[in-house]
Amino acid sequence: MTNSPGTESAPDTQSAAASSEPQDRLAQAVSAAERALIEFEIAVETFRVEVENFSRLHHQKLGPMYARLDELDALIAEAVAAKSGAREDIKRAWEARALVMPMPGVEELFDGLLGSDGVRPLEDPNPPRRVRPGKEAQRLYRELVRKAHPDLAQDEAEVERRSAFIAQVNEAYTYADEQRLRELAQEWEAGPVPQEAQPSEAEVLYARLEWLAQRKEQLALLAAELENSAIAQMMKLAPDDPDGLLNEIAENLLNQVANREARLAELVRSTKGSE
């Protein structure tokens, strides 16, 4: 008695199902690693923008004051050297002058911190341009990256298209351009819906996992570099109110400017008195 066709194919079906299970689990692992990498990249890029924006504000608001302090230090050192004539004082004066950048004007120095009558206004009338993305811009950015990230595609042409699109998204987010982000969202929705390539071979899946691990390592190095930067360390001092921290530093620098100006005036008076 021979087996029926149905009886003969049953073992083959079971064998195929059993052999596909490890590859299915591997595909799930790749998908999970892709999602995790995208979330990590979003976090790193968001932090990079925060650091860059704080650095820009720091330079705009405090840069002229640091330049003024360097100029005053050079003037004080030169006054001391002129009075003493000592070789070491002259050397220090040359070194101080070498550090000086072009001295800012009064308006640039105080950048609205003082009114026309010399009295500090309650609020800064000319605050530096703020480009810190708002909550809506952050939401749009995250949604766009999750939908269009190049790591979700494996076809070379599709990866290139997504990379160019995400570059526009990153630029708009860097400048907190919410309107541009909305336009990009509409552009993406109107475009062709990308089909997610499903790996079919175990070798391809393993290579994909290896690439994802390498990419995550690169992002981790970038995150560590940002975390250890001087600007990031400063941001940690007031994570909830970075603008308030800048105002506090500006207040301190203004006091230092006043003290150095008083010191310089004293040196000039004493020099003239001894002539």
Side-chain angles (χ1 to χ4, degrees):
M1 181 177 179
T2 59
N3 293 330
S4 65
T7 305
E8 291 176 351
S9 63
D12 293 337
T13 303
Q14 293 174 358
S15 176
S19 63
S20 67
E21 288 181 2
Q23 188 162 309
D24 289 342
R25 290 196 297 270
L26 187 56
Q28 292 173 3
V30 169
S31 180
E34 287 175 341
R35 292 194 298 271
L37 179 64
I38 290 174
E39 293 301 319
F40 186 44
E41 189 158 348
I42 287 174
V44 172
E45 178 63 14
T46 300
F47 184 52
R48 184 195 67 78
V49 170
E50 291 176 357
V51 171
E52 182 179 301
N53 287 334
F54 187 81
S55 177
R56 184 182 294 111
L57 290 172
H58 181 276
H59 176 73
Q60 290 174 344
K61 198 176 188 71
L62 306 182
M65 296 186 190
Y66 286 120
R68 176 62 175 169
L69 285 172
D70 287 342
E71 173 66 20
L72 288 169
D73 285 339
L75 291 172
I76 289 172
E78 288 166 352
V80 170
K83 184 177 181 179
S84 69
R87 182 182 297 273
E88 286 301 317
D89 288 339
I90 295 174
K91 179 182 177 181
R92 279 191 288 269
W94 275 100
E95 291 173 349
R97 177 54 62 186
L99 297 175
V100 173
M101 299 293 288
M103 188 167 69
V106 173
E107 182 179 353
E108 182 185 4
L109 169 63
F110 293 104
D111 193 21
L113 291 175
L114 297 181
S116 59
D117 56 356
V119 178
R120 186 184 307 279
L122 294 178
E123 295 183 359
D124 187 349
N126 298 301
R129 176 174 176 264
R130 282 166 169 72
V131 291
R132 190 173 297 118
K135 292 187 180 298
E136 181 63 11
Q138 293 177 18
R139 183 189 69 79
L140 290 168
Y141 169 74
R142 289 187 173 93
E143 287 185 0
L144 281 168
V145 173
R146 289 179 181 126
K147 290 178 180 178
H149 199 283
D151 290 351
L152 294 175
Q154 295 195 30
D155 178 73
E156 185 175 349
E158 179 62 9
V159 169
E160 184 176 350
R161 184 179 81 89
R162 286 171 175 254
S163 297
F165 181 81
I166 288 298
Q168 297 180 66
V169 172
N170 287 338
E171 182 180 8
Y173 183 71
T174 296
Y175 291 98
D177 192 342
E178 185 177 318
Q179 179 59 33
R180 178 57 178 157
L181 288 171
R182 291 185 186 280
E183 293 172 358
L184 288 169
Q186 294 175 358
E187 177 183 327
W188 181 259
E189 292 301 327
V193 178
Q195 295 183 352
E196 304 214 4
Q198 296 296 328
S200 58
E201 299 179 357
E203 293 81 6
V204 174
L205 292 171
Y206 279 119
R208 182 67 171 164
L209 280 177
E210 183 178 356
W211 182 89
L212 289 168
Q214 291 174 352
R215 176 59 178 159
K216 184 176 181 181
E217 184 176 352
Q218 293 172 353
L219 287 172
L221 291 174
L222 174 59
E225 182 179 348
L226 288 169
E227 188 75 19
N228 294 327
S229 67
I231 290 293
Q233 295 299 316
M234 184 180 297
M235 290 172 62
K236 288 181 180 180
L237 299 176
D240 298 327
D241 187 18
D243 291 338
L245 175 62
L246 287 179
N247 290 334
E248 183 179 340
I249 296 174
E251 182 76 25
N252 179 266
L253 290 177
L254 284 174
N255 290 333
Q256 292 184 45
V257 167
N259 291 336
R260 281 170 170 77
E261 288 178 339
R263 169 64 174 155
L264 179 61
E266 180 183 349
L267 286 169
V268 171
R269 285 196 301 270
S270 64
T271 301
K272 289 181 178 179
S274 62
E275 291 178 353

